[in-house]
Amino acid sequence: MKKLNLLNITLGIFVTLLLTGCGSDSATDTKNNGEVQGSSSNLGEQLNYKITGIEPGAGTTELARNTLEEYENLDGWELLESSTAGMLSSLDKAIKNEEPIIVTGWTPHWMFANYDLKYLEDPKGTFGGIENINTIVRKGFKKEMPDAYKIVDRFYWEPKDMEEVMFAAQDISFEEAAKNWVEKNQDQVAEWTEGTEKVDGKEIELVSTPWDTERASGNVLKIVLEQQGYKVTLTPVDPVIMFQAIATGEGDVSVAPWLPATHASFYEQYKEDIVDLGENLTGAKIGMVVPKYMHIDSIEDLQPKE
């Protein structure tokens, strides 16, 4: 089986869209008696009608572009591609200064535990509804590695489990955070591995995406498989490369696809060449998110650029 060449893969960092006026002159005029104005009438001006997203290869970036097209009241707004790390830095700075900011955030994510945030209503449903994170494998994987197949097919956990690993990984590595979670949840791990035989060094290519959600799930599954004797390579790539890798057999397993909306276009492109094992997590969500101190409740509350 071919292995992915990390040197030829453009890495991305997960899912977030940022609208911020941090550093602009107008942002210094957003406070009034200790409260952020952030009203629909002046918010666009405060933020210079700029929407900053994450990597161009992310499914959320595609959904963000579609949102700009579908909402007439977003006429004149621009999407500037950024990174997850940049978004989180700007979000932190804005909240510390009580400045207006809008991000397209997602759950599970530790930022909801760290900050008081809320989703904006999305009446047109451009970001989709409740999302699942699915497990996909290459064709032939079940026949060649039946015990590993059973483990990855049984792999399922709750958003709170993923958030626990993500939050712990703010102070330690994701690998260490995942090891701690596995040690703490041996009963659940035993359900995934029940009735399977240990092996001696069979290689598995686990393909993921380079965002905290998938760093959490990828590292947990990697450790579980390694405890069963597999030699696991965890490779983070952009979503389209992830689907392509499983479809072509360059990768064996991925627990990173967000469906039905976020990665829908990639799924449709490759669905005939992959095996979908269904959800490994339910209750995920993507959408525009703001600090609770902002006086805005819906995407429709934003005003077009004059």
Side-chain angles (χ1 to χ4, degrees):
M1 181 182 62
K2 297 180 181 178
K3 294 300 175 184
L4 294 176
N5 185 350
L6 293 180
L7 295 178
N8 294 327
I9 294 172
T10 303
L11 298 180
I13 298 180
F14 188 66
V15 173
T16 304
L17 158 88
L18 168 69
L19 261 116
T20 178
C22 297
S24 66
D25 291 338
S26 60
T28 61
D29 299 326
T30 58
K31 295 183 181 180
N32 184 16
N33 294 327
E35 292 188 40
V36 172
Q37 300 258 349
S39 66
S40 58
S41 61
N42 63 11
L43 185 58
E45 293 179 1
Q46 293 171 19
L47 302 178
N48 295 319
Y49 302 96
K50 303 294 183 184
I51 298 176
T52 304
I54 58 170
E55 298 74 22
T60 301
T61 301
E62 183 178 351
L63 295 178
R65 292 194 190 106
N66 184 52
T67 298
L68 291 182
E69 294 176 0
E70 292 295 324
Y71 281 88
E72 295 180 359
N73 59 298
L74 294 180
D75 184 45
W77 290 80
E78 298 178 43
L79 178 62
L80 301 178
E81 292 161 3
S82 179
S83 69
T84 302
M87 178 278 295
L88 291 171
S89 176
S90 296
L91 177 64
D92 182 72
K93 180 179 178 182
I95 290 177
K96 286 179 178 177
N97 294 320
E98 285 197 35
E99 295 172 342
I101 188 171
I102 304 176
V103 304
T104 298
W106 65 97
T107 46
H109 198 282
W110 59 264
M111 62 181 166
F112 282 86
N114 221 31
Y115 308 111
D116 288 328
L117 304 172
K118 63 181 179 181
Y119 280 100
L120 293 183
E121 296 173 6
D122 177 20
K124 293 183 180 291
T126 54
F127 284 100
I130 299 300
E131 291 273 275
N132 305 315
I133 305 179
N134 282 29
T135 299
I136 60 175
V137 300
R138 63 174 174 85
K139 289 185 175 180
F141 181 69
K142 181 179 181 180
K143 182 178 180 179
E144 295 173 28
M145 298 188 186
D147 286 324
Y149 178 91
K150 288 179 182 178
I151 295 170
V152 300
D153 189 27
R154 293 169 179 168
F155 176 67
Y156 181 91
W157 61 346
E158 301 292 338
K160 63 179 178 60
D161 297 316
M162 179 179 278
E163 288 180 340
E164 181 180 336
V165 176
M166 294 167 68
F167 190 74
Q170 301 312 299
D171 298 316
I172 57 179
S173 70
F174 268 94
E175 184 174 6
E176 185 177 354
K179 284 182 179 178
N180 292 341
W181 187 92
V182 168
E183 291 175 1
K184 180 181 175 182
N185 293 273
Q186 281 296 300
D187 288 345
Q188 187 167 347
V189 172
E191 294 177 4
W192 301 340
T193 60
E194 182 181 2
T196 61
E197 299 289 336
K198 290 192 175 183
V199 300
D200 186 15
K202 285 188 177 181
E203 296 184 3
I204 292 179
E205 182 80 34
L206 180 57
V207 189
S208 190
T209 51
W211 292 293
D212 287 358
T213 43
E214 283 63 58
R215 288 189 177 100
S217 58
N219 275 282
V220 166
L221 185 58
K222 177 177 184 288
I223 290 167
V224 172
L225 289 170
E226 287 177 340
Q227 289 181 348
Q228 294 298 106
Y230 294 93
K231 182 179 179 182
V232 183
T233 301
L234 178 59
T235 305
V237 297
D238 284 340
V240 65
I241 303 298
M242 170 186 68
F243 278 93
Q244 182 182 1
I246 301 301
T248 60
E250 293 183 356
D252 296 307
V253 181
S254 179
V255 290
W258 282 56
L259 297 168
T262 305
H263 294 153
S265 62
F266 308 136
Y267 184 85
E268 286 299 314
Q269 183 178 356
Y270 293 105
K271 66 180 181 181
E272 300 300 327
D273 299 312
I274 63 177
V275 179
D276 185 357
L277 301 184
E279 301 91 347
N280 61 66
L281 182 145
T282 59
K285 185 177 180 179
I286 294 174
M288 285 191 180
V289 173
V290 300
K292 287 185 178 180
Y293 56 67
M294 289 182 61
H295 306 305
I296 182 173
D297 298 309
S298 172
I299 294 174
E300 290 187 333
D301 291 339
L302 297 171
Q303 298 297 313
K305 185 176 181 180
E306 297 181 358

